[in-house]
Amino acid sequence: MRLITKDFLTYGGFALQGKVAALFLLLSGPVWADEVTVLALGDSLTQGYGLVEEDGFVPQMQAWLDGQGVDVRLINGGVSGDTTAGGAARAAWSMTPDVDAMIVALGGNDVLRGIDPAVSRENLSQILQVASDKNVEVLLIGLRAPGNYGPDYKADFDTIYPELAAQYGVAHVESFFAGIEKLDPAEWPAFFQADRIHPNAKGVARIVEQLGPDVLELVHPG
Protein backbone atom coordinates (compact mmCIF):
# COMPACT_ATOMS: atom_id res chain seq x y z
CA MET A 1 0.00 0.00 0.00
CA ARG A 2 1.04 3.60 -0.56
CA LEU A 3 1.78 6.24 2.00
CA ILE A 4 -1.40 7.78 3.38
CA THR A 5 -1.77 11.19 1.72
CA LYS A 6 -5.42 12.02 2.22
CA ASP A 7 -6.60 15.62 2.04
CA PHE A 8 -8.48 15.09 5.29
CA LEU A 9 -6.92 13.71 8.42
CA THR A 10 -8.13 13.49 12.00
CA TYR A 11 -5.46 13.59 14.69
CA GLY A 12 -5.99 13.82 18.44
CA GLY A 13 -9.60 14.86 17.92
CA PHE A 14 -8.69 17.72 15.56
CA ALA A 15 -9.56 17.83 11.89
CA LEU A 16 -6.66 18.68 9.61
CA GLN A 17 -7.45 19.50 6.02
CA GLY A 18 -5.69 20.27 2.77
CA LYS A 19 -2.19 21.72 3.12
CA VAL A 20 -2.29 21.47 6.89
CA ALA A 21 -2.85 17.72 6.71
CA ALA A 22 -0.10 17.36 4.12
CA LEU A 23 2.31 19.30 6.32
CA PHE A 24 1.45 17.12 9.31
CA LEU A 25 2.15 13.97 7.34
CA LEU A 26 5.43 15.37 6.05
CA LEU A 27 6.65 16.31 9.53
CA SER A 28 5.49 13.11 11.18
CA GLY A 29 7.30 10.86 8.66
CA PRO A 30 6.00 7.94 6.60
CA VAL A 31 2.64 6.49 7.62
CA TRP A 32 2.10 3.02 6.16
CA ALA A 33 -1.33 1.59 5.47
CA ASP A 34 -1.83 -2.19 5.64
CA GLU A 35 0.89 -4.45 4.18
CA VAL A 36 4.16 -2.82 3.14
CA THR A 37 5.70 -4.06 -0.10
CA VAL A 38 9.49 -3.82 -0.37
CA LEU A 39 11.49 -4.40 -3.53
CA ALA A 40 15.01 -5.79 -3.00
CA LEU A 41 16.87 -4.49 -6.05
CA GLY A 42 20.26 -6.14 -6.37
CA ASP A 43 22.56 -8.69 -7.94
CA SER A 44 23.46 -12.29 -7.09
CA LEU A 45 23.84 -11.45 -3.40
CA THR A 46 20.17 -10.47 -3.33
CA GLN A 47 19.06 -13.15 -5.78
CA GLY A 48 20.50 -15.95 -3.63
CA TYR A 49 23.17 -17.36 -5.94
CA GLY A 50 24.25 -20.93 -5.13
CA LEU A 51 21.63 -21.44 -2.44
CA VAL A 52 18.33 -23.26 -2.22
CA GLU A 53 15.54 -20.73 -2.36
CA GLU A 54 14.70 -20.61 1.35
CA ASP A 55 18.33 -19.92 2.28
CA GLY A 56 18.65 -16.81 0.11
CA PHE A 57 18.79 -13.23 1.36
CA VAL A 58 15.17 -12.33 0.58
CA PRO A 59 13.53 -15.44 2.12
CA GLN A 60 15.71 -15.21 5.23
CA MET A 61 15.01 -11.49 5.60
CA GLN A 62 11.29 -12.15 5.09
CA ALA A 63 11.38 -14.75 7.88
CA TRP A 64 13.25 -12.32 10.15
CA LEU A 65 10.70 -9.57 9.54
CA ASP A 66 7.81 -11.98 10.06
CA GLY A 67 9.35 -12.78 13.41
CA GLN A 68 9.19 -9.10 14.31
CA GLY A 69 5.43 -9.12 13.76
CA VAL A 70 5.40 -6.59 10.91
CA ASP A 71 3.18 -6.95 7.84
CA VAL A 72 5.78 -6.83 5.08
CA ARG A 73 6.12 -8.51 1.69
CA LEU A 74 9.58 -8.64 0.15
CA ILE A 75 10.00 -8.95 -3.61
CA ASN A 76 13.22 -10.55 -4.86
CA GLY A 77 14.53 -8.13 -7.47
CA GLY A 78 18.00 -9.65 -7.53
CA VAL A 79 19.55 -10.51 -10.91
CA SER A 80 22.75 -12.54 -10.87
CA GLY A 81 25.58 -10.70 -12.62
CA ASP A 82 23.75 -7.38 -12.64
CA THR A 83 25.69 -4.11 -12.50
CA THR A 84 24.47 -0.69 -11.41
CA ALA A 85 23.75 -0.04 -15.11
CA GLY A 86 21.42 -3.03 -15.21
CA GLY A 87 19.72 -1.86 -12.03
CA ALA A 88 19.25 1.63 -13.46
CA ALA A 89 17.81 0.19 -16.69
CA ARG A 90 15.12 -1.78 -14.84
CA ALA A 91 14.47 0.53 -11.90
CA ALA A 92 11.46 2.35 -13.32
CA TRP A 93 9.47 -0.74 -14.33
CA SER A 94 10.56 -2.70 -11.25
CA MET A 95 9.02 -0.08 -8.97
CA THR A 96 5.43 -1.02 -9.69
CA PRO A 97 2.60 0.96 -8.04
CA ASP A 98 2.38 -1.52 -5.16
CA VAL A 99 6.01 -0.97 -4.10
CA ASP A 100 6.29 1.22 -0.99
CA ALA A 101 9.99 0.89 -0.23
CA MET A 102 13.16 -0.49 -1.75
CA ILE A 103 16.45 -2.03 -0.67
CA VAL A 104 19.22 -1.18 -3.16
CA ALA A 105 22.28 -3.46 -3.04
CA LEU A 106 24.25 -3.04 -6.25
CA GLY A 107 27.86 -2.33 -7.18
CA GLY A 108 29.75 -5.56 -6.56
CA ASN A 109 29.86 -6.51 -10.23
CA ASP A 110 30.96 -2.98 -11.12
CA VAL A 111 34.01 -3.49 -8.91
CA LEU A 112 34.71 -6.95 -10.33
CA ARG A 113 34.73 -5.41 -13.81
CA GLY A 114 36.74 -2.34 -12.81
CA ILE A 115 34.00 0.03 -13.98
CA ASP A 116 34.75 3.71 -13.45
CA PRO A 117 33.28 4.74 -10.07
CA ALA A 118 31.85 7.86 -11.73
CA VAL A 119 29.73 5.61 -13.95
CA SER A 120 28.55 3.55 -10.98
CA ARG A 121 27.68 6.73 -9.11
CA GLU A 122 25.59 8.04 -11.99
CA ASN A 123 23.71 4.73 -12.32
CA LEU A 124 22.90 4.59 -8.61
CA SER A 125 21.86 8.23 -8.73
CA GLN A 126 19.39 7.39 -11.50
CA ILE A 127 17.88 4.61 -9.36
CA LEU A 128 17.50 6.92 -6.37
CA GLN A 129 15.97 9.63 -8.54
CA VAL A 130 13.35 7.22 -9.86
CA ALA A 131 12.58 6.17 -6.30
CA SER A 132 12.24 9.80 -5.26
CA ASP A 133 9.93 10.53 -8.20
CA LYS A 134 7.77 7.54 -7.27
CA ASN A 135 7.75 8.38 -3.55
CA VAL A 136 9.45 5.08 -2.68
CA GLU A 137 11.48 4.95 0.54
CA VAL A 138 15.01 3.55 0.12
CA LEU A 139 17.66 1.73 2.12
CA LEU A 140 20.94 2.04 0.21
CA ILE A 141 23.36 -0.74 1.10
CA GLY A 142 26.96 0.12 0.41
CA LEU A 143 30.01 -1.82 -0.60
CA ARG A 144 33.71 -1.35 0.04
CA ALA A 145 36.01 -1.82 -2.94
CA PRO A 146 39.19 -3.88 -2.49
CA GLY A 147 42.54 -2.27 -3.14
CA ASN A 148 43.15 -4.11 -6.42
CA TYR A 149 42.71 -1.02 -8.55
CA GLY A 150 44.70 1.30 -6.32
CA PRO A 151 43.84 3.77 -3.53
CA ASP A 152 42.26 6.35 -5.82
CA TYR A 153 39.74 3.88 -7.24
CA LYS A 154 38.91 2.59 -3.79
CA ALA A 155 38.45 6.08 -2.36
CA ASP A 156 36.26 7.16 -5.28
CA PHE A 157 34.10 4.04 -5.07
CA ASP A 158 33.73 3.88 -1.30
CA THR A 159 32.39 7.44 -1.10
CA ILE A 160 29.60 6.80 -3.62
CA TYR A 161 27.10 5.35 -1.15
CA PRO A 162 27.31 7.75 1.80
CA GLU A 163 27.38 10.76 -0.48
CA LEU A 164 24.37 9.66 -2.54
CA ALA A 165 22.49 8.74 0.63
CA ALA A 166 23.05 12.25 1.94
CA GLN A 167 22.17 13.82 -1.41
CA TYR A 168 18.85 11.99 -1.72
CA GLY A 169 18.03 11.80 1.98
CA VAL A 170 17.78 8.01 2.10
CA ALA A 171 18.81 5.49 4.75
CA HIS A 172 22.27 4.01 4.32
CA VAL A 173 24.22 0.99 5.56
CA GLU A 174 27.98 0.93 4.97
CA SER A 175 28.36 -2.69 3.89
CA PHE A 176 26.20 -5.63 2.87
CA PHE A 177 28.69 -7.87 4.67
CA ALA A 178 28.84 -5.89 7.91
CA GLY A 179 27.56 -8.85 9.92
CA ILE A 180 30.47 -10.99 8.76
CA GLU A 181 33.08 -8.23 8.73
CA LYS A 182 32.56 -7.76 12.47
CA LEU A 183 34.12 -11.19 13.04
CA ASP A 184 37.78 -12.11 13.09
CA PRO A 185 38.91 -12.45 9.44
CA ALA A 186 40.06 -15.97 10.22
CA GLU A 187 36.37 -16.87 10.70
CA TRP A 188 35.12 -15.39 7.44
CA PRO A 189 35.62 -18.46 5.17
CA ALA A 190 33.06 -20.41 7.22
CA PHE A 191 30.36 -18.00 6.06
CA PHE A 192 31.09 -18.10 2.31
CA GLN A 193 30.64 -20.52 -0.53
CA ALA A 194 33.70 -21.99 -2.27
CA ASP A 195 34.05 -18.93 -4.53
CA ARG A 196 34.75 -16.73 -1.45
CA ILE A 197 32.35 -14.13 -2.91
CA HIS A 198 28.85 -15.36 -2.19
CA PRO A 199 27.69 -16.11 1.35
CA ASN A 200 26.43 -19.55 2.27
CA ALA A 201 23.19 -20.02 4.23
CA LYS A 202 25.03 -19.42 7.50
CA GLY A 203 26.57 -16.26 6.08
CA VAL A 204 23.22 -14.97 4.87
CA ALA A 205 21.83 -15.52 8.36
CA ARG A 206 24.53 -13.26 9.82
CA ILE A 207 23.93 -10.66 7.13
CA VAL A 208 20.19 -10.67 7.84
CA GLU A 209 20.78 -10.43 11.58
CA GLN A 210 22.88 -7.31 11.02
CA LEU A 211 20.72 -5.65 8.35
CA GLY A 212 17.35 -6.67 9.78
CA PRO A 213 16.98 -3.69 12.14
CA ASP A 214 17.73 -1.27 9.27
CA VAL A 215 15.11 -2.90 7.06
CA LEU A 216 12.67 -2.85 9.97
CA GLU A 217 13.29 0.89 10.39
CA LEU A 218 12.66 1.34 6.67
CA VAL A 219 9.24 -0.34 6.83
CA HIS A 220 8.28 0.65 10.35
CA PRO A 221 9.94 4.03 11.09
CA GLY A 222 10.10 5.20 14.67
Side-chain angles (χ1 to χ4, degrees), residues 22-109:
L23 178 61
F24 173 84
L25 289 166
L26 177 64
L27 294 177
S28 62
V31 179
W32 302 109
D34 303 324
E35 181 184 70
V36 180
T37 299
V38 180
L39 169 68
L41 186 73
D43 49 32
S44 56
L45 298 176
T46 303
Q47 181 265 334
Y49 175 87
L51 300 170
V52 296
E53 184 176 356
E54 61 267 26
D55 288 339
F57 173 73
V58 171
Q60 288 207 46
M61 181 62 77
Q62 180 72 69
W64 188 93
L65 291 168
D66 290 345
Q68 306 305 307
V70 292
D71 193 5
V72 178
R73 178 174 67 97
L74 293 185
I75 298 173
N76 193 338
V79 174
S80 187
D82 213 5
T83 62
T84 56
R90 61 192 174 92
W93 58 261
S94 294
M95 282 181 258
T96 54
D98 62 319
V99 171
D100 303 297
M102 178 170 62
I103 301 167
V104 178
L106 286 163
N109 289 306

Side-chain angles (χ1 to χ4, degrees), residues 90-180:
R90 61 192 174 92
W93 58 261
S94 294
M95 282 181 258
T96 54
D98 62 319
V99 171
D100 303 297
M102 178 170 62
I103 301 167
V104 178
L106 286 163
N109 289 306
D110 294 48
V111 172
L112 290 175
R113 300 181 187 187
I115 293 173
D116 185 344
V119 174
S120 302
R121 179 186 291 266
E122 175 58 28
N123 292 332
L124 287 168
S125 180
Q126 289 180 28
I127 294 170
L128 296 179
Q129 186 59 59
V130 172
S132 177
D133 293 343
K134 290 178 174 286
N135 198 30
V136 170
E137 299 290 318
V138 174
L139 172 62
L140 179 63
I141 299 180
L143 184 73
R144 300 186 185 98
N148 305 41
Y149 304 110
D152 290 341
Y153 183 99
K154 178 173 174 57
D156 289 346
F157 190 89
D158 289 358
T159 58
I160 291 173
Y161 300 91
E163 290 181 357
L164 285 180
Q167 178 182 343
Y168 285 92
V170 301
H172 167 241
V173 175
E174 288 187 0
S175 172
F176 185 86
F177 295 106
I180 298 174

Side-chain angles (χ1 to χ4, degrees), residues 8-21:
F8 183 90
L9 177 72
T10 301
Y11 178 73
F14 294 93
L16 305 177
Q17 293 181 287
K19 294 182 179 179
V20 176

